[in-house]
Amino acid sequence: MHQSTNTRQGGAIVSAHLTRRLLQLYVGLALYGVSSALLVRAGLGLEPWGVLHQGLAELTGLTIGVVSIIVGAVVLLWIPLRQRPGLGTVSNVFVIGLAMDATLALVPRVDGPGGQIPLMAGGIVLNGVATGLYIAARFGPGPRDGLMTGLHRLTGRSIRLVRTAIEVAVVVTGFALGGSVGVGTVAYALAIGPLAQLFLRVFAIPEREGRSTVVAGGSPARAILQR
C-alpha cells in the first residue's frame, strides 16, 4: 500500500513537471512570435532573422509569418550536423510564424518616436522573456539555434563567432532583399544576449534530480549563455 502511494505521488510529480515544461515551451514560442511582430510594427529595424524574413516576404508576396515557417523548415537541414531535433524544434517552426501573423493582424503600425521607441523596447524585452521560457523548457533547440550549435561543433569555432557570422549573413541578405535594418536591429543585437541570460535563469526548470536547466552540460541553454 505504501509503495502504491509513493508510485502515484511520483507519477503526479512527473506529470506536473512535464506540464510545466510544455506550458513554458508553447507560451515562450507564442510570445517570441508576438515580440517579432511588435518589432515589425515599431518600424525601427528587426532582429537579424526578422530582416531576412521580411526581405523574403517582400520578394515573394507571402506573409512574414509564413516565410518564417518556410525558412525554419529549410534550416532544419542542420539535422545532418549531428543535432537532435526535439518537440521544441518542430514546434518552433510553426508556432512562432503563426503567432507572428496573428499579432500583425491585430496590432497596427505605429508612427512617431513616441510610440515606436516603447514598442521596439517592449518587443526586445519580450523576445528575451520568450527565449528564456522556451529554451529553459528543454524540448530541443529552435532550428536557428540548432544551426548555430551544429556549425560550432562541426567547425570548432566559438559560439560567438559562429552566431555572429550567421547573423551578419542573414542581415546582409535580408537587407539586400528589402528587409528593415535600423536602430532596432542594433538595440536587439546589444540587448538580447544579456536578456536571454537573465530569463534563462529566471525560468530554469530544475531536473527531477535537482540539477538546473541552465547549468546542464551541453544544453541549448549553455550555448545561449555563451553568446
Side-chain angles (χ1 to χ4, degrees):
M1 184 70 173
H2 180 68
Q3 184 176 0
S4 176
T5 300
N6 286 342
T7 300
R8 287 197 300 271
Q9 289 176 340
I13 291 171
V14 171
S15 177
H17 188 264
L18 179 60
T19 298
R20 177 183 169 182
R21 289 175 61 206
L22 286 168
L23 183 64
Q24 226 175 266
L25 170 67
Y26 286 106
V27 169
L29 292 177
L31 289 180
Y32 197 104
V34 172
S35 70
S36 295
L38 294 181
L39 290 175
V40 172
R41 289 300 186 227
L44 295 175
L46 306 181
E47 76 278 17
W49 282 96
V51 176
L52 177 62
H53 297 157
Q54 189 179 52
L56 288 171
E58 292 287 335
L59 179 67
T60 62
L62 299 172
T63 68
I64 192 169
V66 169
V67 169
S68 173
I69 291 171
I70 293 171
V71 170
V74 170
V75 174
L76 279 176
L77 293 174
W78 58 253
I79 290 173
L81 298 178
R82 293 187 296 177
Q83 298 293 290
R84 290 185 178 181
L87 175 64
T89 311
V90 178
S91 298
N92 183 294
V93 172
F94 296 99
V95 175
I96 291 176
L98 293 173
M100 191 174 184
D101 274 351
T103 304
L104 288 171
L106 295 173
V107 179
R109 182 181 176 89
V110 175
D111 294 317
Q116 289 176 296
I117 292 173
L119 193 61
M120 177 195 73
I124 292 172
V125 173
L126 186 61
N127 193 278
V129 171
T131 299
L133 278 167
Y134 93 79
I135 291 181
R138 302 193 315 277
F139 279 108
R144 297 156 188 84
D145 287 325
L147 177 65
M148 174 185 68
T149 54
L151 288 174
H152 159 65
R153 291 179 182 178
L154 182 67
T155 65
R157 303 296 184 181
S158 70
I159 285 287
R160 288 183 180 88
L161 179 60
V162 171
R163 176 179 170 84
T164 299
I166 291 172
E167 295 196 349
V168 167
V170 299
V171 166
V172 170
T173 303
F175 181 70
L177 293 173
S180 175
V181 175
V183 64
T185 310
V186 176
Y188 181 92
L190 293 175
I192 193 58
L195 286 171
Q197 183 171 0
L198 168 65
F199 289 111
L200 276 165
R201 291 196 170 101
V202 169
F203 297 116
I205 301 176
E207 300 276 6
R208 288 194 296 277
E209 297 81 8
R211 292 180 298 168
S212 169
T213 302
V214 172
V215 298
S219 69
R222 177 176 290 277
I224 297 298
L225 292 178
Q226 291 175 332
R227 291 178 179 180

